[in-house]
Amino acid sequence: VQLQASGGGLVQAGGSLRLSCAASESRYVMGWFRQARGKEREFVAAVNSRNSGPVYADSVKGRFTISRDNTKNTMYLQMNSLRPEDTAVYYCAAGQPIRSAYRSAEMYTAWGQGTLVTVSS
C-alpha cells in the first residue's frame, strides 16, 4: 500500500488542523505517528479498516479524532485545541496489527512521507 500525507502547517495554540492520508487501498489498519525534533517517534492514533474501534494516545485523547472514508481511500486526523507540544512531523502508516498492538510502530509495514505541524504559543 502507498500512502501520501498532507495538511500540515503553522497554527496558533488552541487552533485546529486536519491531516489527510491518501492510500492506494483501504483494507489495512491505519494510524498516525509523530516525531518531534530530537525525540523518538510516538503513536498518536489508529483505526481499523471498518473505521471503528479507534485507539488514541493519552496525550491527544479528547482533542484529536481519527477517521477514514473508504470510498476515497483516505484517513483523517482532526486536531483541535492544539498545543505547542503537538509540534512534530506527522506520519501516516498502514499495517495489520491486532488492536492491542496499534501503538507499536514496528507493526506497520507502510509509511507516508510525513507532514509538518507547527503550533506556536
Side-chain angles (χ1 to χ4, degrees):
V1 57
Q2 295 181 324
L3 305 173
Q4 179 77 34
S6 61
L10 174 64
V11 63
Q12 288 188 330
S16 298
L17 277 176
R18 189 176 80 158
L19 305 183
S20 299
C21 178
S24 56
E25 54 185 298
S26 61
R27 61 189 174 101
Y28 293 97
V29 170
M30 294 184 73
W32 291 97
F33 289 76
R34 67 186 182 186
Q35 187 167 20
R37 185 173 297 180
K39 295 187 176 181
E40 294 187 352
R41 188 173 298 190
E42 64 174 358
F43 170 79
V44 176
V47 68
N48 65 22
S49 60
R50 299 179 304 279
N51 194 32
S52 63
V55 175
Y56 295 94
D58 288 346
S59 58
V60 307
K61 201 172 293 183
R63 300 187 299 122
F64 291 11
T65 302
I66 189 171
S67 63
R68 57 196 296 172
D69 182 344
N70 288 338
T71 65
K72 299 179 181 179
N73 284 353
T74 301
M75 175 182 64
Y76 304 99
L77 185 69
Q78 178 66 45
M79 305 186 295
N80 299 328
S81 302
L82 282 161
R83 305 167 180 168
E85 54 264 39
D86 294 319
T87 295
V89 176
Y90 283 70
Y91 298 89
C92 58
Q96 295 180 304
I98 58 175
R99 193 166 185 269
S100 60
Y102 279 10
R103 292 178 172 84
S104 300
E106 62 267 24
M107 300 303 293
Y108 295 82
T109 53
W111 292 83
Q113 84 287 5
T115 185
L116 176 63
V117 172
T118 303
V119 184
S120 63
S121 58

PDB file of all heavy atoms in Angstrom, residues 27-58:
ATOM      1  N   ARG A  27      -7.833  -1.687   2.979  1.00  0.00           N
ATOM      2  CA  ARG A  27      -8.105  -2.892   3.760  1.00  0.00           C
ATOM      3  C   ARG A  27      -7.229  -3.037   5.000  1.00  0.00           C
ATOM      4  O   ARG A  27      -7.326  -4.034   5.706  1.00  0.00           O
ATOM      5  CB  ARG A  27      -7.957  -4.129   2.881  1.00  0.00           C
ATOM      6  CG  ARG A  27      -6.574  -4.326   2.287  1.00  0.00           C
ATOM      7  CD  ARG A  27      -6.605  -5.455   1.261  1.00  0.00           C
ATOM      8  NE  ARG A  27      -5.339  -5.592   0.557  1.00  0.00           N
ATOM      9  CZ  ARG A  27      -4.440  -6.521   0.860  1.00  0.00           C
ATOM     10  NH1 ARG A  27      -4.666  -7.373   1.846  1.00  0.00           N
ATOM     11  NH2 ARG A  27      -3.317  -6.612   0.156  1.00  0.00           N
ATOM     12  N   TYR A  28      -6.372  -2.049   5.259  1.00  0.00           N
ATOM     13  CA  TYR A  28      -5.442  -2.149   6.387  1.00  0.00           C
ATOM     14  C   TYR A  28      -5.891  -1.317   7.584  1.00  0.00           C
ATOM     15  O   TYR A  28      -6.637  -0.345   7.437  1.00  0.00           O
ATOM     16  CB  TYR A  28      -4.059  -1.669   5.962  1.00  0.00           C
ATOM     17  CG  TYR A  28      -3.398  -2.553   4.933  1.00  0.00           C
ATOM     18  CD1 TYR A  28      -3.470  -2.240   3.583  1.00  0.00           C
ATOM     19  CD2 TYR A  28      -2.700  -3.685   5.315  1.00  0.00           C
ATOM     20  CE1 TYR A  28      -2.872  -3.036   2.632  1.00  0.00           C
ATOM     21  CE2 TYR A  28      -2.091  -4.490   4.364  1.00  0.00           C
ATOM     22  CZ  TYR A  28      -2.185  -4.164   3.026  1.00  0.00           C
ATOM     23  OH  TYR A  28      -1.578  -4.958   2.090  1.00  0.00           O
ATOM     24  N   VAL A  29      -5.379  -1.657   8.731  1.00  0.00           N
ATOM     25  CA  VAL A  29      -5.399  -0.745   9.867  1.00  0.00           C
ATOM     26  C   VAL A  29      -4.527   0.458   9.492  1.00  0.00           C
ATOM     27  O   VAL A  29      -3.472   0.304   8.883  1.00  0.00           O
ATOM     28  CB  VAL A  29      -4.832  -1.422  11.129  1.00  0.00           C
ATOM     29  CG1 VAL A  29      -4.622  -0.405  12.243  1.00  0.00           C
ATOM     30  CG2 VAL A  29      -5.740  -2.564  11.571  1.00  0.00           C
ATOM     31  N   MET A  30      -5.010   1.626   9.820  1.00  0.00           N
ATOM     32  CA  MET A  30      -4.225   2.827   9.532  1.00  0.00           C
ATOM     33  C   MET A  30      -4.054   3.658  10.783  1.00  0.00           C
ATOM     34  O   MET A  30      -4.939   3.693  11.647  1.00  0.00           O
ATOM     35  CB  MET A  30      -4.893   3.646   8.427  1.00  0.00           C
ATOM     36  CG  MET A  30      -4.914   2.935   7.085  1.00  0.00           C
ATOM     37  SD  MET A  30      -5.598   3.933   5.760  1.00  0.00           S
ATOM     38  CE  MET A  30      -4.252   5.115   5.523  1.00  0.00           C
ATOM     39  N   GLY A  31      -2.908   4.305  10.871  1.00  0.00           N
ATOM     40  CA  GLY A  31      -2.638   5.080  12.071  1.00  0.00           C
ATOM     41  C   GLY A  31      -1.788   6.299  11.789  1.00  0.00           C
ATOM     42  O   GLY A  31      -1.279   6.498  10.679  1.00  0.00           O
ATOM     43  N   TRP A  32      -1.678   7.130  12.820  1.00  0.00           N
ATOM     44  CA  TRP A  32      -0.831   8.318  12.788  1.00  0.00           C
ATOM     45  C   TRP A  32       0.222   8.209  13.886  1.00  0.00           C
ATOM     46  O   TRP A  32      -0.086   7.825  15.019  1.00  0.00           O
ATOM     47  CB  TRP A  32      -1.657   9.591  13.009  1.00  0.00           C
ATOM     48  CG  TRP A  32      -2.575   9.931  11.888  1.00  0.00           C
ATOM     49  CD1 TRP A  32      -3.905   9.647  11.800  1.00  0.00           C
ATOM     50  CD2 TRP A  32      -2.241  10.643  10.699  1.00  0.00           C
ATOM     51  NE1 TRP A  32      -4.418  10.118  10.622  1.00  0.00           N
ATOM     52  CE2 TRP A  32      -3.420  10.746   9.933  1.00  0.00           C
ATOM     53  CE3 TRP A  32      -1.072  11.216  10.203  1.00  0.00           C
ATOM     54  CZ2 TRP A  32      -3.452  11.392   8.688  1.00  0.00           C
ATOM     55  CZ3 TRP A  32      -1.107  11.852   8.975  1.00  0.00           C
ATOM     56  CH2 TRP A  32      -2.298  11.934   8.228  1.00  0.00           C
ATOM     57  N   PHE A  33       1.414   8.537  13.531  1.00  0.00           N
ATOM     58  CA  PHE A  33       2.512   8.671  14.476  1.00  0.00           C
ATOM     59  C   PHE A  33       3.104  10.067  14.294  1.00  0.00           C
ATOM     60  O   PHE A  33       2.883  10.720  13.277  1.00  0.00           O
ATOM     61  CB  PHE A  33       3.586   7.608  14.207  1.00  0.00           C
ATOM     62  CG  PHE A  33       3.162   6.219  14.586  1.00  0.00           C
ATOM     63  CD1 PHE A  33       2.286   5.505  13.789  1.00  0.00           C
ATOM     64  CD2 PHE A  33       3.649   5.619  15.739  1.00  0.00           C
ATOM     65  CE1 PHE A  33       1.882   4.225  14.128  1.00  0.00           C
ATOM     66  CE2 PHE A  33       3.262   4.337  16.090  1.00  0.00           C
ATOM     67  CZ  PHE A  33       2.378   3.642  15.287  1.00  0.00           C
ATOM     68  N   ARG A  34       3.861  10.509  15.265  1.00  0.00           N
ATOM     69  CA  ARG A  34       4.532  11.801  15.136  1.00  0.00           C
ATOM     70  C   ARG A  34       5.915  11.746  15.738  1.00  0.00           C
ATOM     71  O   ARG A  34       6.189  10.939  16.619  1.00  0.00           O
ATOM     72  CB  ARG A  34       3.704  12.915  15.787  1.00  0.00           C
ATOM     73  CG  ARG A  34       3.588  12.810  17.304  1.00  0.00           C
ATOM     74  CD  ARG A  34       2.620  13.871  17.827  1.00  0.00           C
ATOM     75  NE  ARG A  34       2.513  13.828  19.292  1.00  0.00           N
ATOM     76  CZ  ARG A  34       1.669  14.558  19.988  1.00  0.00           C
ATOM     77  NH1 ARG A  34       0.825  15.395  19.386  1.00  0.00           N
ATOM     78  NH2 ARG A  34       1.641  14.461  21.308  1.00  0.00           N
ATOM     79  N   GLN A  35       6.766  12.623  15.232  1.00  0.00           N
ATOM     80  CA  GLN A  35       8.123  12.700  15.751  1.00  0.00           C
ATOM     81  C   GLN A  35       8.528  14.155  15.873  1.00  0.00           C
ATOM     82  O   GLN A  35       8.624  14.878  14.872  1.00  0.00           O
ATOM     83  CB  GLN A  35       9.104  11.959  14.836  1.00  0.00           C
ATOM     84  CG  GLN A  35      10.505  11.860  15.411  1.00  0.00           C
ATOM     85  CD  GLN A  35      11.359  10.864  14.650  1.00  0.00           C
ATOM     86  OE1 GLN A  35      11.076  10.515  13.515  1.00  0.00           O
ATOM     87  NE2 GLN A  35      12.420  10.400  15.290  1.00  0.00           N
ATOM     88  N   ALA A  36       8.733  14.579  17.096  1.00  0.00           N
ATOM     89  CA  ALA A  36       9.217  15.925  17.362  1.00  0.00           C
ATOM     90  C   ALA A  36      10.738  15.935  17.242  1.00  0.00           C
ATOM     91  O   ALA A  36      11.396  14.904  17.379  1.00  0.00           O
ATOM     92  CB  ALA A  36       8.787  16.376  18.747  1.00  0.00           C
ATOM     93  N   ARG A  37      11.282  17.106  17.002  1.00  0.00           N
ATOM     94  CA  ARG A  37      12.728  17.230  16.838  1.00  0.00           C
ATOM     95  C   ARG A  37      13.441  16.731  18.078  1.00  0.00           C
ATOM     96  O   ARG A  37      13.131  17.133  19.205  1.00  0.00           O
ATOM     97  CB  ARG A  37      13.103  18.680  16.560  1.00  0.00           C
ATOM     98  CG  ARG A  37      14.581  18.882  16.248  1.00  0.00           C
ATOM     99  CD  ARG A  37      14.841  20.302  15.832  1.00  0.00           C
ATOM    100  NE  ARG A  37      14.142  20.638  14.591  1.00  0.00           N
ATOM    101  CZ  ARG A  37      14.217  21.823  14.015  1.00  0.00           C
ATOM    102  NH1 ARG A  37      14.918  22.788  14.562  1.00  0.00           N
ATOM    103  NH2 ARG A  37      13.582  22.057  12.896  1.00  0.00           N
ATOM    104  N   GLY A  38      14.373  15.831  17.873  1.00  0.00           N
ATOM    105  CA  GLY A  38      15.167  15.326  18.979  1.00  0.00           C
ATOM    106  C   GLY A  38      14.491  14.259  19.816  1.00  0.00           C
ATOM    107  O   GLY A  38      15.050  13.837  20.838  1.00  0.00           O
ATOM    108  N   LYS A  39      13.312  13.836  19.386  1.00  0.00           N
ATOM    109  CA  LYS A  39      12.585  12.829  20.156  1.00  0.00           C
ATOM    110  C   LYS A  39      12.286  11.613  19.282  1.00  0.00           C
ATOM    111  O   LYS A  39      12.374  11.665  18.058  1.00  0.00           O
ATOM    112  CB  LYS A  39      11.285  13.410  20.710  1.00  0.00           C
ATOM    113  CG  LYS A  39      11.496  14.522  21.720  1.00  0.00           C
ATOM    114  CD  LYS A  39      10.191  14.936  22.364  1.00  0.00           C
ATOM    115  CE  LYS A  39      10.402  15.985  23.433  1.00  0.00           C
ATOM    116  NZ  LYS A  39       9.127  16.382  24.090  1.00  0.00           N
ATOM    117  N   GLU A  40      11.898  10.528  19.936  1.00  0.00           N
ATOM    118  CA  GLU A  40      11.543   9.324  19.201  1.00  0.00           C
ATOM    119  C   GLU A  40      10.138   9.443  18.624  1.00  0.00           C
ATOM    120  O   GLU A  40       9.306  10.216  19.113  1.00  0.00           O
ATOM    121  CB  GLU A  40      11.629   8.111  20.131  1.00  0.00           C
ATOM    122  CG  GLU A  40      13.039   7.806  20.598  1.00  0.00           C
ATOM    123  CD  GLU A  40      13.118   6.509  21.383  1.00  0.00           C
ATOM    124  OE1 GLU A  40      12.062   5.931  21.686  1.00  0.00           O
ATOM    125  OE2 GLU A  40      14.239   6.086  21.706  1.00  0.00           O
ATOM    126  N   ARG A  41       9.892   8.667  17.595  1.00  0.00           N
ATOM    127  CA  ARG A  41       8.560   8.623  17.007  1.00  0.00           C
ATOM    128  C   ARG A  41       7.579   8.058  18.028  1.00  0.00           C
ATOM    129  O   ARG A  41       7.885   7.081  18.714  1.00  0.00           O
ATOM    130  CB  ARG A  41       8.575   7.782  15.732  1.00  0.00           C
ATOM    131  CG  ARG A  41       7.295   7.825  14.933  1.00  0.00           C
ATOM    132  CD  ARG A  41       7.458   7.110  13.607  1.00  0.00           C
ATOM    133  NE  ARG A  41       8.480   7.738  12.774  1.00  0.00           N
ATOM    134  CZ  ARG A  41       8.702   7.435  11.502  1.00  0.00           C
ATOM    135  NH1 ARG A  41       7.949   6.505  10.907  1.00  0.00           N
ATOM    136  NH2 ARG A  41       9.649   8.023  10.812  1.00  0.00           N
ATOM    137  N   GLU A  42       6.398   8.683  18.118  1.00  0.00           N
ATOM    138  CA  GLU A  42       5.407   8.213  19.074  1.00  0.00           C
ATOM    139  C   GLU A  42       4.055   8.019  18.411  1.00  0.00           C
ATOM    140  O   GLU A  42       3.703   8.701  17.443  1.00  0.00           O
ATOM    141  CB  GLU A  42       5.263   9.183  20.251  1.00  0.00           C
ATOM    142  CG  GLU A  42       4.740  10.552  19.887  1.00  0.00           C
ATOM    143  CD  GLU A  42       4.480  11.406  21.126  1.00  0.00           C
ATOM    144  OE1 GLU A  42       4.666  10.936  22.263  1.00  0.00           O
ATOM    145  OE2 GLU A  42       4.068  12.569  20.930  1.00  0.00           O
ATOM    146  N   PHE A  43       3.302   7.109  18.960  1.00  0.00           N
ATOM    147  CA  PHE A  43       1.967   6.799  18.475  1.00  0.00           C
ATOM    148  C   PHE A  43       1.014   7.943  18.787  1.00  0.00           C
ATOM    149  O   PHE A  43       1.094   8.554  19.860  1.00  0.00           O
ATOM    150  CB  PHE A  43       1.485   5.509  19.142  1.00  0.00           C
ATOM    151  CG  PHE A  43       0.047   5.194  18.914  1.00  0.00           C
ATOM    152  CD1 PHE A  43      -0.376   4.640  17.722  1.00  0.00           C
ATOM    153  CD2 PHE A  43      -0.898   5.454  19.893  1.00  0.00           C
ATOM    154  CE1 PHE A  43      -1.716   4.345  17.510  1.00  0.00           C
ATOM    155  CE2 PHE A  43      -2.233   5.157  19.706  1.00  0.00           C
ATOM    156  CZ  PHE A  43      -2.643   4.606  18.511  1.00  0.00           C
ATOM    157  N   VAL A  44       0.108   8.219  17.841  1.00  0.00           N
ATOM    158  CA  VAL A  44      -0.923   9.236  18.053  1.00  0.00           C
ATOM    159  C   VAL A  44      -2.310   8.595  18.075  1.00  0.00           C
ATOM    160  O   VAL A  44      -3.063   8.755  19.038  1.00  0.00           O
ATOM    161  CB  VAL A  44      -0.867  10.312  16.955  1.00  0.00           C
ATOM    162  CG1 VAL A  44      -2.007  11.307  17.122  1.00  0.00           C
ATOM    163  CG2 VAL A  44       0.481  11.030  16.971  1.00  0.00           C
ATOM    164  N   ALA A  45      -2.659   7.884  17.014  1.00  0.00           N
ATOM    165  CA  ALA A  45      -3.995   7.287  16.926  1.00  0.00           C
ATOM    166  C   ALA A  45      -4.011   6.248  15.816  1.00  0.00           C
ATOM    167  O   ALA A  45      -3.183   6.305  14.899  1.00  0.00           O
ATOM    168  CB  ALA A  45      -5.053   8.353  16.655  1.00  0.00           C
ATOM    169  N   ALA A  46      -4.957   5.328  15.889  1.00  0.00           N
ATOM    170  CA  ALA A  46      -5.126   4.322  14.834  1.00  0.00           C
ATOM    171  C   ALA A  46      -6.574   3.868  14.799  1.00  0.00           C
ATOM    172  O   ALA A  46      -7.302   3.962  15.797  1.00  0.00           O
ATOM    173  CB  ALA A  46      -4.197   3.139  15.068  1.00  0.00           C
ATOM    174  N   VAL A  47      -6.969   3.370  13.632  1.00  0.00           N
ATOM    175  CA  VAL A  47      -8.346   2.908  13.449  1.00  0.00           C
ATOM    176  C   VAL A  47      -8.333   1.736  12.480  1.00  0.00           C
ATOM    177  O   VAL A  47      -7.472   1.651  11.610  1.00  0.00           O
ATOM    178  CB  VAL A  47      -9.237   4.063  12.930  1.00  0.00           C
ATOM    179  CG1 VAL A  47      -8.853   4.470  11.512  1.00  0.00           C
ATOM    180  CG2 VAL A  47     -10.710   3.699  13.001  1.00  0.00           C
ATOM    181  N   ASN A  48      -9.296   0.825  12.638  1.00  0.00           N
ATOM    182  CA  ASN A  48      -9.299  -0.347  11.771  1.00  0.00           C
ATOM    183  C   ASN A  48      -9.923  -0.040  10.398  1.00  0.00           C
ATOM    184  O   ASN A  48     -10.370   1.081  10.141  1.00  0.00           O
ATOM    185  CB  ASN A  48     -10.005  -1.519  12.456  1.00  0.00           C
ATOM    186  CG  ASN A  48     -11.487  -1.282  12.708  1.00  0.00           C
ATOM    187  OD1 ASN A  48     -12.122  -0.455  12.049  1.00  0.00           O
ATOM    188  ND2 ASN A  48     -12.050  -2.009  13.659  1.00  0.00           N
ATOM    189  N   SER A  49      -9.933  -1.042   9.552  1.00  0.00           N
ATOM    190  CA  SER A  49     -10.374  -0.845   8.175  1.00  0.00           C
ATOM    191  C   SER A  49     -11.858  -0.500   8.080  1.00  0.00           C
ATOM    192  O   SER A  49     -12.311   0.048   7.074  1.00  0.00           O
ATOM    193  CB  SER A  49     -10.076  -2.090   7.342  1.00  0.00           C
ATOM    194  OG  SER A  49     -10.741  -3.212   7.881  1.00  0.00           O
ATOM    195  N   ARG A  50     -12.609  -0.821   9.134  1.00  0.00           N
ATOM    196  CA  ARG A  50     -14.056  -0.515   9.127  1.00  0.00           C
ATOM    197  C   ARG A  50     -14.355   0.822   9.782  1.00  0.00           C
ATOM    198  O   ARG A  50     -15.517   1.162  10.011  1.00  0.00           O
ATOM    199  CB  ARG A  50     -14.810  -1.622   9.863  1.00  0.00           C
ATOM    200  CG  ARG A  50     -14.655  -3.003   9.224  1.00  0.00           C
ATOM    201  CD  ARG A  50     -15.411  -4.070  10.011  1.00  0.00           C
ATOM    202  NE  ARG A  50     -15.016  -4.136  11.395  1.00  0.00           N
ATOM    203  CZ  ARG A  50     -13.925  -4.773  11.822  1.00  0.00           C
ATOM    204  NH1 ARG A  50     -13.146  -5.388  10.964  1.00  0.00           N
ATOM    205  NH2 ARG A  50     -13.636  -4.794  13.112  1.00  0.00           N
ATOM    206  N   ASN A  51     -13.319   1.582  10.083  1.00  0.00           N
ATOM    207  CA  ASN A  51     -13.473   2.900  10.725  1.00  0.00           C
ATOM    208  C   ASN A  51     -14.138   2.769  12.090  1.00  0.00           C
ATOM    209  O   ASN A  51     -14.944   3.610  12.484  1.00  0.00           O
ATOM    210  CB  ASN A  51     -14.283   3.857   9.823  1.00  0.00           C
ATOM    211  CG  ASN A  51     -14.186   5.304  10.267  1.00  0.00           C
ATOM    212  OD1 ASN A  51     -13.162   5.738  10.803  1.00  0.00           O
ATOM    213  ND2 ASN A  51     -15.266   6.058  10.074  1.00  0.00           N
ATOM    214  N   SER A  52     -13.792   1.735  12.830  1.00  0.00           N
ATOM    215  CA  SER A  52     -14.329   1.553  14.168  1.00  0.00           C
ATOM    216  C   SER A  52     -13.197   1.204  15.124  1.00  0.00           C
ATOM    217  O   SER A  52     -12.089   0.887  14.694  1.00  0.00           O
ATOM    218  CB  SER A  52     -15.396   0.451  14.182  1.00  0.00           C
ATOM    219  OG  SER A  52     -14.832  -0.795  13.821  1.00  0.00           O
ATOM    220  N   GLY A  53     -13.499   1.294  16.426  1.00  0.00           N
ATOM    221  CA  GLY A  53     -12.542   0.920  17.443  1.00  0.00           C
ATOM    222  C   GLY A  53     -11.271   1.731  17.456  1.00  0.00           C
ATOM    223  O   GLY A  53     -10.172   1.178  17.550  1.00  0.00           O
ATOM    224  N   PRO A  54     -11.357   3.063  17.347  1.00  0.00           N
ATOM    225  CA  PRO A  54     -10.126   3.859  17.353  1.00  0.00           C
ATOM    226  C   PRO A  54      -9.389   3.776  18.685  1.00  0.00           C
ATOM    227  O   PRO A  54      -9.995   3.571  19.740  1.00  0.00           O
ATOM    228  CB  PRO A  54     -10.625   5.287  17.090  1.00  0.00           C
ATOM    229  CG  PRO A  54     -12.018   5.291  17.622  1.00  0.00           C
ATOM    230  CD  PRO A  54     -12.554   3.923  17.310  1.00  0.00           C
ATOM    231  N   VAL A  55      -8.100   3.939  18.596  1.00  0.00           N
ATOM    232  CA  VAL A  55      -7.232   3.966  19.769  1.00  0.00           C
ATOM    233  C   VAL A  55      -6.432   5.259  19.722  1.00  0.00           C
ATOM    234  O   VAL A  55      -5.928   5.641  18.661  1.00  0.00           O
ATOM    235  CB  VAL A  55      -6.285   2.754  19.790  1.00  0.00           C
ATOM    236  CG1 VAL A  55      -5.309   2.852  20.958  1.00  0.00           C
ATOM    237  CG2 VAL A  55      -7.092   1.451  19.885  1.00  0.00           C
ATOM    238  N   TYR A  56      -6.322   5.925  20.868  1.00  0.00           N
ATOM    239  CA  TYR A  56      -5.620   7.205  20.937  1.00  0.00           C
ATOM    240  C   TYR A  56      -4.534   7.170  22.004  1.00  0.00           C
ATOM    241  O   TYR A  56      -4.675   6.500  23.028  1.00  0.00           O
ATOM    242  CB  TYR A  56      -6.592   8.336  21.288  1.00  0.00           C
ATOM    243  CG  TYR A  56      -7.647   8.594  20.247  1.00  0.00           C
ATOM    244  CD1 TYR A  56      -8.902   7.998  20.329  1.00  0.00           C
ATOM    245  CD2 TYR A  56      -7.392   9.457  19.179  1.00  0.00           C
ATOM    246  CE1 TYR A  56      -9.873   8.239  19.370  1.00  0.00           C
ATOM    247  CE2 TYR A  56      -8.359   9.706  18.212  1.00  0.00           C
ATOM    248  CZ  TYR A  56      -9.587   9.090  18.321  1.00  0.00           C
ATOM    249  OH  TYR A  56     -10.540   9.338  17.367  1.00  0.00           O
ATOM    250  N   ALA A  57      -3.497   7.934  21.759  1.00  0.00           N
ATOM    251  CA  ALA A  57      -2.533   8.197  22.816  1.00  0.00           C
ATOM    252  C   ALA A  57      -3.197   9.068  23.877  1.00  0.00           C
ATOM    253  O   ALA A  57      -4.044   9.914  23.555  1.00  0.00           O
ATOM    254  CB  ALA A  57      -1.308   8.916  22.241  1.00  0.00           C
ATOM    255  N   ASP A  58      -2.817   8.873  25.115  1.00  0.00           N
ATOM    256  CA  ASP A  58      -3.413   9.656  26.201  1.00  0.00           C
ATOM    257  C   ASP A  58      -3.213  11.151  25.984  1.00  0.00           C
ATOM    258  O   ASP A  58      -4.070  11.959  26.354  1.00  0.00           O
ATOM    259  CB  ASP A  58      -2.800   9.241  27.544  1.00  0.00           C
ATOM    260  CG  ASP A  58      -3.267   7.864  27.988  1.00  0.00           C
ATOM    261  OD1 ASP A  58      -4.254   7.342  27.425  1.00  0.00           O
ATOM    262  OD2 ASP A  58      -2.629   7.297  28.895  1.00  0.00           O
TER     263      ASP A  58
END
